[in-house]
Amino acid sequence: MNFYSPPFPPAFSSFLLFKTRVALFGQKLVEKKLSFVDLKHRISTMSASSNGVANGAGGTCKIELKDPELLKTSCFVGGKFVPAAKEDGQGWFDVLNPATGELVAKVADGGKVTTQQAIETAKSAFDSWKKLTALERSAILKKWFDLIIQNAEDLGKIMTTEQGKPLPEAIGEIKYGASFVEFFAEEAKRLYGDIIPAGSETRALVLPQPVGVCGLVTPWNFPCAMLTRKAAPALAAGCTVVCKPSELTPLSALALCELAVRAGIPAGVLNVVTGFHAAPIGEELTTNPIVRKISFTGSTAVGKKLMQQSASTVKKVSLELGGLAPFIVMEDANLDAAVSGLIACKFRNNGQTCICANRVYVQSSIYDKFTEKVVEKVKTLRVGNGMESGVNLGPLINEKAVEKVERHVKDAVSKGAKVLLGGSPHSLGGLFYQPTVMTNMTDSMVMSCEETFGPVIGLFKFDTEEEVIKRANNTTYGLASYLYTTDLARAWRMAESLESGMVGLNEPMISNAMVPFGGVKESGIGREGSKYGIAEYVNLKYVLMGGIVSS
């Protein structure tokens, strides 16, 4: 299943139908079932001396890479891979394969002091990096893009191993992430200012200037794309960055750093601090006065905390936070297209995306027919280890994620929902969960007000356009919405009425490098991607030039 097609592909629906038709559901992919107890036992008995292909920090999960040098395990500061600062304990934390529970690597456990060192390094590099011409920065970023594409398969294997998504999907994310580097390499040369005729003897100049050192905090669900979507516009604008990747998926970020070195990105321009405890790193990024910009993707609760901390030094802030996306199917919709769109939207990354459909509203006159089509389609999805061929859905990221999905399903069932498919952990055990379809959903259920972040479709029934708009907007979130209808007037009317930063109209794949990604309400502020994305990393300076006297 290709979750990274172009944003408006005419043949997307037929492609999705073919891919799901040939898949097999429920095929066993591991030698034995793994319970959480099994996983914990296996993890606790691992050691650096275990058999397997070990990396520099003692990993034991074998990853067949064409270029083993891409597997890095230390912080990246000042153009070098270094251990955590002595003051932070110089420790290591485990990165686990969510499909098997195996130890992938032990990664440097940085903290406050390591972050301070990275910030000082970024500050030193800023003066020379910002003075390069836009053409020079663009050329370096293009080399980085080329290297990412050339190493897409290896990068995908690293991602699948630490994050769990199927390998084709992981490689798709690598290419998607690379597209931001390519786009902003070009956008660097289009960062224009203005000349304003402010008076007969004066001219007002508006100059875009890089904000300075930027702190980037990225999530585990898109460990490549979220870093490039933030770092590429920052570097293109002339900023330097310090990134904190998720402790669950740091290896993808470090691999990108290795390629950055090869691309010629100067030492100190791109820095990555890995650490198991995010709080001290995040607090240093948000309160250190050298850092002038914070960009964060993650939960609304954490985003609010980072925004509050950033207020102490009045930083620029952009936040891409939680979503609760409504997926609306009107009675005049093309049902086959809507079903295919829902499958693509909901099951991308096993439902672990901030813009996946969380509340599926179906008009009552087509509810039963649509439900039948959805169930038949979901039955074809294959669950298993993402490194196995033909797998559509990998594991959830950790035990907490499984527990949340189970809580949502149990809550819905206790309030009258009917499970048509799935509804419990997968027979593979471990962190695998069955793709699930439920009907008779109501607004009293947790799924109507909280992100599920898992492979569960809940179908809500509605009668009128006015009703569904009111229910869709009845949330503090506003990231993405989806609408399927063939009525042009209704499409305009409803798209403008939905309170979200993005609307997919008869289209489930709404993100690419050329469009502005972001939400409203408590789903965040600012935009990523497009020409608007680079604007987040510049300050506008106004210069009034006088003495222009006519001869």
Side-chain angles (χ1 to χ4, degrees), residues 29 49 59 62 67 73 99 114 164 169 171 184 187 249 265 282 315-317 321 376 452 477 503 528 548 550:
L29 296 171
S49 61
K62 186 175 182 180
D67 185 355
T73 58
T114 310
E169 187 176 343
I171 294 174
F184 285 110
E187 200 65 17
T249 56
I265 293 179
K315 303 185 193 305
K316 291 192 72 169
V317 176
L321 308 177
E376 289 305 308
T452 302
Y477 299 103
V503 178
E528 294 185 324
I548 302 176
S550 57

Side-chain angles (χ1 to χ4, degrees), residues 17 24 29 46 98 130 156 178 208 286-287 299 325 335 337 349 366 427 429 442 444 454:
L17 284 167
L24 298 175
L29 296 171
M46 292 282 182
K130 72 177 181 180
T286 53
T287 59
S299 72
L335 292 193
N349 200 16
I366 58 169
S427 60
T442 69
S444 66

Side-chain angles (χ1 to χ4, degrees), residues 307-510:
M307 187 177 184
Q308 185 179 44
Q309 292 173 342
S310 297
S312 65
T313 50
V314 195
K315 303 185 193 305
K316 291 192 72 169
V317 176
S318 58
L319 307 170
E320 193 261 283
L321 308 177
L324 194 67
F327 190 103
I328 302 170
V329 185
M330 304 302 295
E331 59 187 358
D332 58 82
N334 179 323
L335 292 193
D336 289 334
V339 170
S340 294
L342 176 59
I343 300 301
C345 181
K346 179 69 230 187
F347 292 110
R348 178 190 186 197
N349 200 16
N350 208 12
Q352 299 173 115
T353 81
C354 55
I355 58 172
C356 72
N358 207 77
R359 299 169 292 158
V360 183
Y361 296 106
V362 184
Q363 201 155 18
S364 55
S365 60
I366 58 169
Y367 186 88
D368 292 341
K369 186 176 182 180
F370 184 81
T371 298
E372 291 176 6
K373 288 178 175 287
V374 169
V375 170
E376 289 305 308
K377 187 71 66 177
V378 175
K379 283 181 179 178
T380 66
L381 298 178
R382 180 180 173 186
V383 179
N385 189 323
M387 295 299 288
E388 297 286 341
S389 178
V391 168
N392 304 114
L393 306 179
L396 292 169
I397 189 64
N398 55 24
E399 183 176 348
K400 185 178 179 180
V402 177
E403 291 172 347
K404 183 178 184 181
V405 171
E406 287 192 287
R407 176 170 61 84
H408 278 209
V409 172
K410 290 177 180 178
D411 171 80
V413 171
S414 71
K415 295 174 182 177
K418 182 179 180 181
V419 177
L420 300 185
L421 194 66
S424 62
H426 199 276
S427 60
L428 292 174
L431 303 177
F432 294 98
Y433 198 90
Q434 296 184 74
T436 297
V437 179
M438 297 189 295
T439 57
N440 299 338
M441 299 294 292
T442 69
D443 294 349
S444 66
M445 298 170 183
V446 174
M447 275 186 64
S448 71
C449 59
E450 185 180 298
E451 278 187 300
T452 302
F453 243 59
V456 180
I457 291 176
L459 299 170
F460 297 74
K461 186 182 294 186
F462 73 91
D463 292 317
T464 68
E465 176 184 324
E466 294 74 21
E467 172 199 346
V468 75
I469 288 292
K470 183 177 180 180
R471 291 169 67 186
N473 290 340
N474 186 28
T475 174
T476 58
Y477 299 103
L479 188 55
S481 299
Y482 303 89
L483 170 64
Y484 276 76
T485 178
T486 56
D487 185 317
L488 182 60
R490 171 180 282 163
W492 275 108
R493 189 169 60 241
M494 294 184 68
E496 292 178 350
S497 298
L498 288 166
E499 296 173 356
S500 60
M502 301 171 286
V503 178
L505 178 58
N506 298 323
E507 175 54 52
M509 311 306 286
I510 60 176

Side-chain angles (χ1 to χ4, degrees), residues 241-258:
V241 304
V242 177
C243 177
K244 163 60 174 79
S246 169
E247 66 278 7
L248 300 174
T249 56
L251 302 176
S252 292
L254 294 173
L256 290 173
C257 291
E258 170 63 22

Side-chain angles (χ1 to χ4, degrees), residues 70 140-152 155 174 178 256 258-264:
L70 291 176
I140 294 173
L141 287 174
K142 284 182 178 179
K143 291 179 183 178
W144 195 26
F145 162 76
D146 289 337
L147 288 169
I148 294 172
I149 293 298
Q150 290 168 20
N151 291 275
L155 294 173
I174 298 300
L256 290 173
E258 170 63 22
L259 296 178
V261 172
R262 300 178 191 180

